[in-house]
């Protein structure tokens, strides 16, 4: 039995544009972020989704609402799909974080298995421990179906690293995932096959 997951990151937000870390905090989609979601919506319009899941963060829910289009499907929101909790970095300018925490900032992107949050945040291992059970639950609930999932940059990299069979220390070398970039994973007899990773071919500018 084949189950297909389409996974994406939310569209560009105001804090993305202003170079601020978000994590569990939130900022609205920009006009460009809404256009990115519209482009992906058109790309997915002929796919018959059986369920739509989203991180409970408003920027992800807003993206999911655009992507759902005219489909009569509820959007199921899950805290377990939220972005990694970045502790004291949330809401701060990236330049300031780089100046104040240069080592940890470098580890966050390049050696995630060594990264430890500043303040009450999450490690990559903790992120993995909360997201993968949620993904496995979705796969179990929707066997033989097609599911759309809207989540976040780091959360999606962790999810895809898991399905690609990569350990945490290799996540830093994986390509970045841009706003509304599309990933596609097919689970067939409990064997995952990644067909798309961070694809932005629907971008128009």
């Amino acid at each position: 039995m084949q189950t297909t997951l389409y996974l994406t990151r939310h569209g560009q937000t105001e804090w993305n544009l202003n170079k601020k870390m978000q994590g569990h905090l939130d900022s609205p989609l920009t006009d460009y972020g809404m256009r990115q979601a519209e482009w992906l919506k058109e790309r997915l319009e002929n796919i018959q989704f059986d369920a739509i899941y989203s991180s409970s963060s408003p920027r992800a829910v807003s993206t999911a609402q655009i992507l759902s289009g005219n489909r009569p499907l509820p959007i199921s929101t899950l805290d377990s799909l939220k972005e990694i909790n970045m502790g004291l970095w949330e809401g701060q300018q990236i330049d300031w974080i780089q100046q104040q925490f240069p080592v940890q900032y470098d580890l966050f992107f390049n050696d995630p298995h060594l990264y430890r949050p500043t303040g009450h945040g999450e490690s990559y291992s903790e992120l993995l421990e909360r997201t993968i059970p949620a993904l496995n639950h979705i796969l179990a609930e929707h066997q033989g179906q097609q599911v759309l999932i809207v989540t976040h940059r780091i959360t999606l990299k962790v999810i895809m690293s898991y399905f690609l069979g990569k350990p945490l220390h290799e996540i830093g070398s994986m390509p970045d995932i841009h706003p509304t970039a599309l990933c596609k994973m097919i689970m067939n007899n409990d064997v995952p096959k990644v067909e798309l990773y961070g694809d932005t071919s629907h971008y128009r500018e």
Side-chain angles (χ1 to χ4, degrees), residues 166-195:
K166 292 182 177 291
L168 282 179
H169 70 264
E170 291 186 14
I171 293 178
S173 62
M174 292 172 65
D176 199 4
I177 294 179
H178 299 287
T180 73
L182 185 63
C183 299
K184 180 181 179 182
M185 192 280 297
I186 294 175
M187 184 70 77
N188 201 343
N189 296 321
D190 295 325
V191 178
K193 178 185 178 184
V194 173
E195 287 202 346

Coordinates of all heavy atoms in Angstrom, one line a residue, residues 166-195:
K166 N 19.5 9.8 7.1 CA 20.7 10.5 7.4 C 20.7 10.8 8.9 O 19.7 11.2 9.5 CB 20.7 11.9 6.7 CG 21.0 11.7 5.2 CD 21.0 13.1 4.5 CE 21.3 13.0 3.0 NZ 22.7 12.5 2.7
P167 N 21.9 10.6 9.6 CA 22.0 11.0 11.0 C 22.1 12.5 11.2 O 22.2 13.3 10.2 CB 23.4 10.4 11.4 CG 24.2 10.3 10.1 CD 23.1 10.1 9.0
L168 N 21.8 12.9 12.4 CA 21.8 14.3 12.7 C 23.0 15.1 12.2 O 22.9 16.3 11.8 CB 21.6 14.6 14.2 CG 20.2 14.4 14.8 CD1 20.2 14.6 16.3 CD2 19.2 15.3 14.1
H169 N 24.2 14.5 12.4 CA 25.4 15.3 12.0 C 25.5 15.6 10.5 O 26.3 16.4 10.1 CB 26.6 14.6 12.5 CG 27.0 13.3 11.8 ND1 26.6 12.1 12.2 CD2 27.7 13.1 10.6 CE1 27.0 11.2 11.4 NE2 27.7 11.8 10.4
E170 N 24.6 15.0 9.7 CA 24.7 15.3 8.3 C 23.7 16.3 7.9 O 23.7 16.8 6.7 CB 24.5 14.0 7.5 CG 25.6 13.0 7.6 CD 25.4 11.8 6.7 OE1 24.5 11.9 5.8 OE2 26.1 10.8 6.8
I171 N 22.8 16.8 8.8 CA 21.7 17.7 8.4 C 22.3 19.0 7.9 O 21.8 19.7 7.0 CB 20.8 17.9 9.6 CG1 20.0 16.7 9.8 CG2 19.8 19.1 9.3 CD1 19.0 16.8 11.0
G172 N 23.5 19.4 8.6 CA 24.1 20.7 8.2 C 24.5 20.8 6.8 O 24.6 21.9 6.2
S173 N 24.8 19.6 6.1 CA 25.3 19.6 4.7 C 24.1 19.5 3.8 O 24.3 19.5 2.5 CB 26.3 18.5 4.5 OG 25.7 17.2 4.8
M174 N 22.9 19.3 4.3 CA 21.7 19.1 3.4 C 21.3 20.5 2.8 O 21.5 21.5 3.5 CB 20.6 18.5 4.1 CG 20.8 17.1 4.6 SD 19.5 16.5 5.7 CE 18.0 16.5 4.6
P175 N 20.9 20.6 1.6 CA 20.4 21.8 1.0 C 19.4 22.5 1.8 O 18.6 21.9 2.5 CB 19.9 21.4 -0.4 CG 20.5 20.1 -0.7 CD 20.7 19.4 0.6
D176 N 19.4 23.8 1.8 CA 18.4 24.6 2.5 C 17.0 24.4 1.9 O 16.9 23.9 0.8 CB 18.7 26.1 2.5 CG 18.0 26.9 3.6 OD1 17.3 26.3 4.4 OD2 18.2 28.1 3.6
I177 N 16.0 24.6 2.7 CA 14.6 24.5 2.2 C 14.0 25.9 2.3 O 13.8 26.5 3.3 CB 13.8 23.5 3.1 CG1 14.3 22.1 2.9 CG2 12.3 23.6 2.7 CD1 13.7 21.0 3.7
H178 N 13.7 26.5 1.1 CA 13.2 27.8 1.0 C 11.6 27.9 1.2 O 11.0 26.8 1.1 CB 13.6 28.4 -0.4 CG 15.0 28.4 -0.6 ND1 15.8 29.4 0.0 CD2 15.9 27.6 -1.4 CE1 17.1 29.2 -0.4 NE2 17.1 28.1 -1.2
P179 N 11.1 29.1 1.4 CA 9.6 29.2 1.6 C 8.8 28.5 0.5 O 9.1 28.7 -0.7 CB 9.4 30.7 1.6 CG 10.7 31.2 2.2 CD 11.8 30.4 1.5
T180 N 7.9 27.7 0.8 CA 7.0 26.9 0.0 C 7.7 25.9 -0.9 O 7.1 25.4 -1.9 CB 6.0 27.8 -0.9 OG1 6.7 28.4 -1.9 CG2 5.2 28.7 0.0
A181 N 9.0 25.7 -0.7 CA 9.7 24.6 -1.4 C 9.0 23.3 -1.1 O 8.5 23.0 0.0 CB 11.1 24.5 -1.0
L182 N 8.9 22.4 -2.1 CA 8.1 21.2 -2.0 C 9.0 20.0 -1.8 O 10.0 19.8 -2.6 CB 7.3 21.0 -3.3 CG 6.3 19.9 -3.3 CD1 5.2 20.0 -2.2 CD2 5.6 19.7 -4.6
C183 N 8.6 19.1 -0.9 CA 9.2 17.8 -0.7 C 8.1 16.8 -0.9 O 6.9 17.0 -0.6 CB 9.8 17.6 0.7 SG 11.1 18.8 1.1
K184 N 8.5 15.6 -1.4 CA 7.5 14.6 -1.6 C 8.1 13.2 -1.2 O 9.3 12.9 -1.6 CB 7.1 14.5 -3.1 CG 6.1 13.4 -3.5 CD 5.8 13.4 -5.0 CE 4.8 12.3 -5.3 NZ 4.6 12.3 -6.8
M185 N 7.4 12.5 -0.4 CA 7.9 11.2 0.1 C 6.8 10.2 -0.1 O 5.7 10.4 0.3 CB 8.3 11.3 1.6 CG 9.1 10.1 2.1 SD 8.1 8.7 2.6 CE 7.1 9.4 3.9
I186 N 7.2 9.0 -0.7 CA 6.3 7.9 -0.8 C 6.7 6.8 0.1 O 7.8 6.4 0.1 CB 6.3 7.4 -2.3 CG1 5.7 8.6 -3.2 CG2 5.4 6.2 -2.5 CD1 5.8 8.2 -4.7
M187 N 5.7 6.3 0.9 CA 5.9 5.2 1.8 C 5.2 4.0 1.2 O 4.0 4.0 1.0 CB 5.4 5.5 3.2 CG 5.6 4.4 4.2 SD 7.4 4.3 4.6 CE 7.6 5.7 5.8
N188 N 6.0 3.0 0.8 CA 5.5 1.8 0.2 C 6.0 0.6 1.0 O 7.1 0.3 1.1 CB 6.0 1.7 -1.2 CG 5.1 0.8 -2.1 OD1 4.3 0.0 -1.5 ND2 5.2 0.9 -3.4
N189 N 5.0 -0.1 1.7 CA 5.4 -1.3 2.5 C 6.4 -0.9 3.5 O 7.4 -1.6 3.7 CB 5.8 -2.4 1.7 CG 4.7 -3.0 0.8 OD1 3.5 -3.0 1.2 ND2 5.1 -3.3 -0.5
D190 N 6.2 0.3 4.2 CA 7.1 0.7 5.3 C 8.5 1.1 4.8 O 9.4 1.4 5.6 CB 7.3 -0.3 6.4 CG 5.9 -0.5 7.1 OD1 5.1 0.4 7.2 OD2 5.7 -1.7 7.5
V191 N 8.7 1.3 3.4 CA 9.9 1.7 2.9 C 9.8 3.1 2.3 O 9.0 3.3 1.3 CB 10.4 0.7 1.8 CG1 11.8 1.2 1.2 CG2 10.6 -0.7 2.4
P192 N 10.5 4.1 2.8 CA 10.3 5.5 2.3 C 11.1 5.7 1.1 O 12.3 5.3 1.0 CB 10.8 6.4 3.5 CG 11.8 5.5 4.2 CD 11.3 4.1 4.0
K193 N 10.6 6.5 0.2 CA 11.3 6.9 -1.0 C 11.1 8.4 -1.2 O 9.9 8.8 -1.4 CB 10.8 6.2 -2.3 CG 11.5 6.6 -3.6 CD 11.0 5.9 -4.8 CE 11.6 6.4 -6.1 NZ 11.0 5.8 -7.3
V194 N 12.1 9.2 -1.2 CA 12.0 10.6 -1.3 C 12.1 10.9 -2.8 O 13.1 10.7 -3.5 CB 13.1 11.4 -0.6 CG1 13.1 12.9 -0.9 CG2 13.0 11.1 0.9
E195 N 11.0 11.5 -3.4 CA 10.9 11.9 -4.8 C 11.3 13.4 -5.0 O 11.8 13.7 -6.1 CB 9.6 11.6 -5.3 CG 9.3 10.1 -5.5 CD 8.2 9.8 -6.5 OE1 7.5 10.8 -6.9 OE2 8.0 8.7 -6.9

